[in-house]
Amino acid sequence: MSILVTGGAGYIGSHTCLELLNAGYEIVVIDNLSNSKLESLNRVSELAKTDFKFYSIDLLNKKALETVFSENNIEAVIHFAGLKSVNESIETPLHYYHNNVTSTLNLCQTMGKYGVKKMIFSSSANVYGETKCVPVTEEHPLNPINPYGRTKLIIETILRDLYISDHSWSIALLRYFNPVGAHESGRIGEDPNDIPNNLMPYITQVAIGKRDKLKVFGNDYDTHDGTGVRDYIHVVDLAKGHLKALEMVIPTTGIDVFNLGTGVGYSVLDLIKGYENTTSQKIPYIFTHRRPGDIDKCYADTTKATKKLGWTATKNLEDMCYDSWKWQKNNPNGYNE
Ligand code: NAD
Ligand code: UD1
């Protein structure tokens, strides 16, 4: 029996594939490589010292998807595949709704047809929208403020309706906070195609000299130092959360939702200082205006994941900074070398 990983060549997917293989699972990976490179999977294979099947297909292609299910004995699906840029989703909403929602419909229909009813879905803290109080529990109102976040909420809703219609499904909705860092080997990590939008990959590119300085978006927020506060979580901790979710989903039925974060909020300045202290690299920065759509603080209440999944993040800010620097230093051009 295999675990099917959609979007497995991507940032979180590749780290999760490695943890799955290390734990002895057999995996099958699907990715259309629209935002990733095959090299990430070559390196997963090298690190795990084992091979696995890879299908370079698009989830929008239902026929191709069917061949994956007919050729393999799939036990459960971890569904990472999707587009994730907030800005792009505002510019091309139809593309985002089509890619994220339609591909999930195709996947669920095909799973149902082949009697595979166990799924873990990559949702996002983005579904909460403007946080009314922190730490954010899973019961916080859901009000995503951009098309990307709305695709996540729509998919969560579809999966809940699916379970209501057929109680033999078993689904975990995982709401990630801010994944950062890289595998400790420095062989796999985040490889943004363009100028990074997110803080940590931007900082690492400043550290390596690809960018002059970081623009800190606003220093007048209602936080301890005026800069935005987020819940950064090491990608390997996050990957391990998927294994815990699998252990819950495989032997049971039902649908449940979990925040995956550390429960600790760090500001932009905390991250800069942490990075400088851990890596001895100077990160020049300037304060600029707030980024539209940003909120002052967002961090998770992770009590539910701890209690029900038996999962807690173990890596600290130092690990996150050190591992992301090691990845960047060893791979200045990402997977392109
Ligand atoms: P990523 O872009 O690195 O990985 C997603 C992968 O899905 C890519 O390899 C891409 O090529 C593939 N893909 C996209 N559309 C596809 C399709 N139609 N068919 C086949 N493959 C397709 O992103 P990531 O950071 O690894 O994120 C994984 C998931 O987690 C995404 O669903 C994302 O929305 C969600 N998420 C990410 C973050 C984050 O900050 N990275 C935060 C919250 C939630
Ligand atoms: C962003 C996305 C969110 C996504 C999340 C995880 C937006 C509006 N939101 O959230 O949907 O789920 O990433 O990947 O894009 N910052 C700077 N300078 C920079 C970059 C960021 O000061 O160059 C600040 C931001 O203002 C924020 C913090 O750093 O306070 C974190 O930003 P970022 O990494 O983009 O994550 P989010 O804003 O949480």
Side-chain angles (χ1 to χ4, degrees), residues 298-325:
C298 178
Y299 51 94
D301 183 322
T302 58
T303 313
K304 190 172 170 190
T306 304
K307 277 196 182 148
K308 286 191 130 179
L309 298 178
W311 171 89
T312 317
T314 58
K315 291 181 181 278
N316 59 24
L317 185 62
E318 206 172 276
D319 302 320
M320 301 181 210
C321 295
Y322 183 81
D323 290 337
S324 77
W325 172 235

Side-chain angles (χ1 to χ4, degrees), residues 86 124 126 178 197-199 215-217 230 232 291 294:
V86 169
S124 166
N126 203 292
N178 292 55
N197 288 316
N198 296 122
L199 181 60
K215 288 183 191 148
V216 177
F217 299 144
R230 296 291 184 276
Y232 299 95
R291 179 172 66 180
D294 271 357

Side-chain angles (χ1 to χ4, degrees), residues 120-124 172-176 241-242 245 257-258 260 309:
I120 295 173
F121 171 63
S122 301
S123 188
S124 166
L173 311 171
L174 304 183
R175 294 181 183 149
Y176 312 152
H242 292 74
V257 57
F258 299 96
L260 295 189
L309 298 178

